[in-house]
Amino acid sequence: MTIVVLIPEYLMLLDDDGIGYGDGLFGSVPFGVAIGKPGLGNIPLEQLVSETWLMGVPSLRAIVKTAVDVIQTGKPRGYLSDPITEKGDPTVVKHRTGKWWARTFDRPVSQHSLKRIAQFQEELKAKGADLVVSLSWVYAKTDETTVKNVKKTIEELSNIVPLIYNPKTLNLQTDSSLFADTHEHLLPEARIRRSKELVQQLRPIIQEKTPQNH
């Protein structure tokens, strides 16, 4: 039994077309440039240049910075270039230098993201694995509009895939001290809390899928 847990950031869920900066999960254009691997996801470098750079996606500034870093130092020095552990954990804890502000969400998950998640689920099923999606912890306001759109997101996602989240908080966190440098990157102590919560939420799903005699 293999279960894949997908925890997309909200900007990914809101992405409309698979090209914009909310697309670090489902497409490879911005993510590939950010880590200095523009061919990631089998997108040839020539295609990246002709179809995305010349169209202004991603931004010229991001491409130039990554290119200069590689030329001058032999490696990218961008946001996603720090080393990770064998388990994929970050080895560098980044702290926010600017003033915190709580996110708000003016719309629910996009149809593009729903279709891409449904496609990913089918791809996993074909390989004998199951997909579970979790809402991310995010530093956000709990105003009426944000809560309404998060609830709509929950409804839409639940229609296509098993979804786990805290029904009391909707995974909207109002304490910025839990977060590192972004609204969804957690500090080490908060990662432990988050991991324990995920274990509790995944336990009934695992038990349901485990044969009784296993």
Side-chain angles (χ1 to χ4, degrees):
M1 177 188 65
T2 301
I3 296 177
V4 175
V5 181
L6 178 68
I7 311 177
E9 293 189 356
Y10 268 91
L11 288 182
M12 297 173 183
L13 291 176
L14 301 180
D15 185 54
D16 288 321
D17 54 15
I19 298 176
Y21 272 101
D23 189 46
L25 175 68
F26 302 130
S28 59
V29 174
F31 184 73
V33 170
I35 63 174
K37 297 180 180 178
L40 187 70
N42 297 319
I43 296 180
L45 181 58
E46 293 80 4
Q47 180 180 341
L48 172 75
V49 173
S50 63
E51 296 185 8
T52 62
W53 184 357
L54 297 181
M55 292 173 59
V57 181
S59 75
L60 179 62
R61 177 176 177 272
I63 291 181
V64 170
K65 183 182 186 306
T66 299
V68 170
D69 283 346
V70 172
I71 292 171
Q72 291 181 342
T73 68
K75 62 180 181 179
R77 297 184 301 173
Y79 185 77
L80 298 174
S81 62
D82 293 313
I84 57 176
T85 67
E86 292 182 355
K87 294 183 178 181
D89 295 322
T91 57
V92 178
V93 177
K94 298 179 184 290
H95 295 275
R96 191 174 185 86
T97 57
K99 184 178 180 181
W100 276 110
W101 51 274
R103 279 199 181 283
T104 58
F105 300 110
D106 59 1
R107 62 189 188 279
V109 59
S110 69
Q111 290 303 306
H112 165 78
S113 289
L114 288 171
K115 290 178 181 178
R116 188 61 186 89
I117 290 173
Q119 179 185 341
F120 185 42
Q121 184 180 43
E122 291 304 313
E123 292 168 354
L124 290 176
K125 284 182 178 179
K127 297 180 179 181
D130 293 308
L131 176 65
V132 175
V133 174
S134 172
L135 294 183
S136 64
W137 275 19
V138 57
Y139 176 50
K141 291 184 179 180
T142 54
D143 60 284
E144 182 178 353
T145 299
T146 294
V147 170
K148 180 185 70 174
N149 284 306
V150 172
K151 286 183 175 180
K152 181 63 175 177
T153 295
I154 290 171
E155 177 185 345
E156 296 281 358
L157 287 172
S158 297
N159 286 334
I160 63 171
V161 69
L163 180 70
I164 54 178
Y165 63 95
N166 186 319
K168 294 183 179 179
T169 66
L170 307 181
N171 285 22
L172 299 173
Q173 306 298 325
T174 57
D175 181 5
S176 63
S177 68
L178 297 172
F179 296 86
D181 55 336
T182 78
H183 291 73
E184 294 178 83
H185 290 175
L186 298 172
L187 290 170
E189 298 81 2
R191 291 178 209 156
I192 295 174
R193 286 179 51 186
R194 172 66 165 139
S195 297
K196 290 180 178 179
E197 181 185 76
L198 281 171
V199 168
Q200 294 300 320
Q201 293 169 342
L202 284 168
R203 181 168 292 151
I205 295 176
I206 294 173
Q207 290 174 342
E208 178 183 343
K209 294 182 179 297
T210 302
Q212 294 298 317
N213 61 349
H214 191 279

